[in-house]
């Protein structure tokens, strides 16, 4: 309730601030409005506005069964003892901005599906709390490795997170935590992973959003990693995990120390020895088989025999407290390590999930990174939702989850299918941040101005002239019209459909589409068969280098293309991957050669080739070694849908009256039936699939290839059997 008991001078000051459209100083906020909060975090640009946009989720890939290694006939299937898929829920891996994902989950039709499953019982997030971090990744090529630079979209996300230091980070995490709070079930909990850089800020934010009384624990995760020599501070060997609940009655299970050997005193067993050195403690409680090892060790060390009535002594560990000694991911453990810089150990997430969830609950991680949360959830029989902005993250997680599906199936344990989703429609309002303190009409003008500047810059780099009187096209290069996608979102299939529609209506025969990134799952080969000569180009980061633009050094490269060959024998189909071409550029090799010091080397990417430049220490001569010796060196993963038109993409849409209707988008979902991919442990890749038994007829077969950067390309072919 407003308090109008102000002095004349104070009222005059308030009017001045309002007339100039400026924020009121904090003292007026507390004078004007009753506020019972004793402590509050204030930062530049703080607002209570929370995104409520609902964007549709597009299902682009469905993985319900890990690949079969050989043909299976009906007789084999009748006696199949391997693990089976559970159909009560399909796990979800979502690529995109988690602010838009969270808003769409909270306000869209998928919310009902989540609540029908009991809601989100546990959210764990490991946000980018390191101001020096970015989206760079180390990529292996043979025995060498090089750094993949972040995409422009990823760089913008990093700038939005840390561009203004703590202010922009707090603003980013505040809105997302607010949305997560609203998504949590009443008995749910949220675990926020942070360290000394931001834990004080996040603690106050969580106090404000969930209430100080909902604080449960501050977990200290102590780990051992190499840090090098330190001179003026103690080695930093712990992170913080803050735990808050939605209400006073969260799901919680006390945990016991998983290493009970620390508390065992084998001499206690001596009182149960008889004259034959046999243990006969019949009055001791029975226990499970995992303690047999300690019993057998006792017998061996004491040269004694087991008695006929032996009962194994149950020895439990201590109750787990708030200091967790859990080892970081071992760099030598190729079973768990996936070469992702922020990867957390599975043991850490096991504790979290066992404490604050039960089997069958839905777990969510909206900064899923390498997919550790999702991997542990799958192994522990939990359902999951994961999202990330990085393509490489989504791809790393996809491989990891397929690997776990294979392991579970082989071990006779059940598993759930999962699907990969896009946010299907991006709004131009999210093109660039224009300052949240401006009114909506002012923001619209700023966006319009920035968009014009951006398009002008792109057209100059592409050596195209601007045009108007078109809906989709902004430029022309010789006899080709040019369409330019947004700067901070990928080009979507709906964007391409608009271009194709205008080409048909205005009888345009040739056009180029330029974008920093493209939505996952786009079939470029199918689009090119619609009677329009379309070329899809990727805008390089060098477009923002005005000197490079002026010198004409900016190279726009084509999207990748793939070639496959069907192998048809009687009633079976197999697919051979015969070619995969990419056209990436990263770093200017001429500039590298100029700056390269004697005896050193550096890796660059030029026209789709990974090149190692080495400067001889004695002669100063620079040698160029091409590391991508075969086109398959660019392939990290490929998969096949043997009957692509069999599963329509049905989208749930909420009408104005609140009812949900399901409509076919006109697209099909890629059913991932067979796949081969490289792992840290196994770098081999199969280029011919196993055979699929089919009935006679015509089939549309889709082949998806993901390169070592995490970018995917899809091609559809028709095969007669």
């Amino acid at each position: 309730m407003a308090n109008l008991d102000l002095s004349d001078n104070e009222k005059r000051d308030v009017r001045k601030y309002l007339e100039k459209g400026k924020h009121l100083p904090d003292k007026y906020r507390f004078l004007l409005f009753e506020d019972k909060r004793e402590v509050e975090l204030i930062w530049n640009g703080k607002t209570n506005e929370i995104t409520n946009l609902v964007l549709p989720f597009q299902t682009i890939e469905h993985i319900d069964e890990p690949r079969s290694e050989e043909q299976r006939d009906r007789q084999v299937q009748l006696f199949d003892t391997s693990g089976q898929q559970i159909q009560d829920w399909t796990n979800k891996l979502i690529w995109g901005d988690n602010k838009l994902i969270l808003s769409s989950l909270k306000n869209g039709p998928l919310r009902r599906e989540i609540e029908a499953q009991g809601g989100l019982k546990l959210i764990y997030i490991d946000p980018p709390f390191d101001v020096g971090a970015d989206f760079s990744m180390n990529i292996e090529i043979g025995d060498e490795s090089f750094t993949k630079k972040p995409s422009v979209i990823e760089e913008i996300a990093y700038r939005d997170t840390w561009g203004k230091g703590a202010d922009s980070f707090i603003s980013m995490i505040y809105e997302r935590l607010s949305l997560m709070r609203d998504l949590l079930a009443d008995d749910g909990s949220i675990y926020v992973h942070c360290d000394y850089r931001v834990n004080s800020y996040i603690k106050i934010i969580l106090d404000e959003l969930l209430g100080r009384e909902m604080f449960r624990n501050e977990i200290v995760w102590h780990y051992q990693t190499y840090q090098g020599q330190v001179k003026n501070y103690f080695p930093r060997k712990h992170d913080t995990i803050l735990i808050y609940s939605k209400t006073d009655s969260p799901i919680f299970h006390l945990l016991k120390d998983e290493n009970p050997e620390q508390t065992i005193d084998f001499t206690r067993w001596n009182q149960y020895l008889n004259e034959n050195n046999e243990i006969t403690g019949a009055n001791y409680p029975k226990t499970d088989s995992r303690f047999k090892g300690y019993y057998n060790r006792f017998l061996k060390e004491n040269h004694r025999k087991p008695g006929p009535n032996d009962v194994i002594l149950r020895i439990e560990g201590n109750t787990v407290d708030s200091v967790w000694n859990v080892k970081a991911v071992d760099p030598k453990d190729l079973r768990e390590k996936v070469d992702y810089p922020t990867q957390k150990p599975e043991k850490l997430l096991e504790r979290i999930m066992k404490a604050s969830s039960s089997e069958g609950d839905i777990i969510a991680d909206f900064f899923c990174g390498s997919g550790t949360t999702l991997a542990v959830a799958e192994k522990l029989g939990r359902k999951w939702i994961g999202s990330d902005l990085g393509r490489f993250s989504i791809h790393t997680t996809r491989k990891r989850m397929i690997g776990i599906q294979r392991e579970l199936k082989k071990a006779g344990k059940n598993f759930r299918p999962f699907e990969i989703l896009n946010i299907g429609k991006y709004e131009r309002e999210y093109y660039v941040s224009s300052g949240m303190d401006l009114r909506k009409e002012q923001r619209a003008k700023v966006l319009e101005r920035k968009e014009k500047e951006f398009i002008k810059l792109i057209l100059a780099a592409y050596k195209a002239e601007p045009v108007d009187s078109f809906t989709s096209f902004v430029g022309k290069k010789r006899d080709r019209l040019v369409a330019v996608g947004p700067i901070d979102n990928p080009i979507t299939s709906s964007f391409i459909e608009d271009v194709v529609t205008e080409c048909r209506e205005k009888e345009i025969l040739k056009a180029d589409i330029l974008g920093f990134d493209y939505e996952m799952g786009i079939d470029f080969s199918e689009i090119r068969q619609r009677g329009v000569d379309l070329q899809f180009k990727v805008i390089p980061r060098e477009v923002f280098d005005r000197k490079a633009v002026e010198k004409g050094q900016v190279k726009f490269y084509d999207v990748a293309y793939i070639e496959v060959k069907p192998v048809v024998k009687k009633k079976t189909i197999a697919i051979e991957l015969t070619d995969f071409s990419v056209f990436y550029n990263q770093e200017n090799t001429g500039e590298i050669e100029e700056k390269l010091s004697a005896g050193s080397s550096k890796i660059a990417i030029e026209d789709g080739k990974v090149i190692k430049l080495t400067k001889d220490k004695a002669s100063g001569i620079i040698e160029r070694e091409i590391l991508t010796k075969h086109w398959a060196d660019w392939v990290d993963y490929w998969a096949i849908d043997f009957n692509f038109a069999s599963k329509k993409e049905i989208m749930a849409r909420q009408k104005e009256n609140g009812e949900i209707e399901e409509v076919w988008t006109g697209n099909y979902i890629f059913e991932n039936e067979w796949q081969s991919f490289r792992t840290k442990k196994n770098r081999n890749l199969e280029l011919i699939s196993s055979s699929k038994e089919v009935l006679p007829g015509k089939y549309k077969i889709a082949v998806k290839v993901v390169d070592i950067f995490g970018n995917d390309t899809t091609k559809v072919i028709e095969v007669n059997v």
Side-chain angles (χ1 to χ4, degrees), residues 672-713:
N672 195 314
E673 298 182 70
W674 182 95
Q675 64 286 132
S676 178
F677 53 86
R678 304 183 198 274
T679 65
K680 182 72 176 173
K681 188 177 180 180
N682 183 3
R683 304 301 300 163
N684 295 324
L685 189 77
E686 300 165 68
L687 297 179
I688 302 179
S689 74
S690 60
S691 298
K692 167 89 172 181
E693 188 173 339
V694 295
L695 297 173
K698 182 182 289 186
Y699 292 87
K700 277 190 173 181
I701 298 177
V703 179
K704 182 192 297 285
V705 178
V706 182
D707 65 36
I708 57 179
F709 284 176
N711 300 314
D712 69 295
T713 307

Side-chain angles (χ1 to χ4, degrees), residues 283-375:
N283 293 327
Y284 248 92
K286 292 189 176 181
T287 186
D288 54 62
S289 60
R290 69 192 182 105
F291 291 96
K292 285 185 178 179
Y294 302 113
Y295 169 61
N296 292 332
R297 175 177 159 186
F298 169 79
L299 296 175
K300 184 177 180 180
E301 290 179 351
N302 292 276
H303 307 289
R304 289 168 178 145
K305 301 175 184 178
N309 300 317
D310 281 4
V311 176
I312 301 168
L313 174 65
R314 182 184 183 91
I315 301 177
E316 293 185 344
N318 296 322
T319 299
V320 172
D321 58 26
S322 61
V323 178
W324 295 1
N325 289 295
V326 177
K327 291 182 180 179
V329 178
D330 185 349
K332 297 178 182 178
D333 185 358
L334 301 185
R335 294 171 300 176
E336 183 172 349
K337 182 177 172 59
V338 294
D339 267 351
Y340 201 89
T342 58
Q343 183 182 355
K344 299 300 184 291
E346 291 188 6
K347 209 70 173 175
L348 184 70
L349 273 299
E350 282 179 17
R351 278 197 177 180
I352 291 171
M353 260 173 243
K354 287 179 179 179
S356 293
S357 71
S358 304
E359 190 169 340
D361 287 346
I362 302 180
I363 312 298
D365 184 345
F366 298 105
F367 296 87
C368 71
S370 62
T372 300
T373 303
L374 316 183

Side-chain angles (χ1 to χ4, degrees), residues 25 53 87 126 168 228 252 326 366 410 432 470 493 498 628 651:
L53 191 67
Q87 296 291 347
D126 180 16
S168 52
F252 189 75
V326 177
F366 298 105
K410 186 177 180 181
V432 279
F470 292 96
S493 53
D498 291 342
T628 45
M651 185 177 294

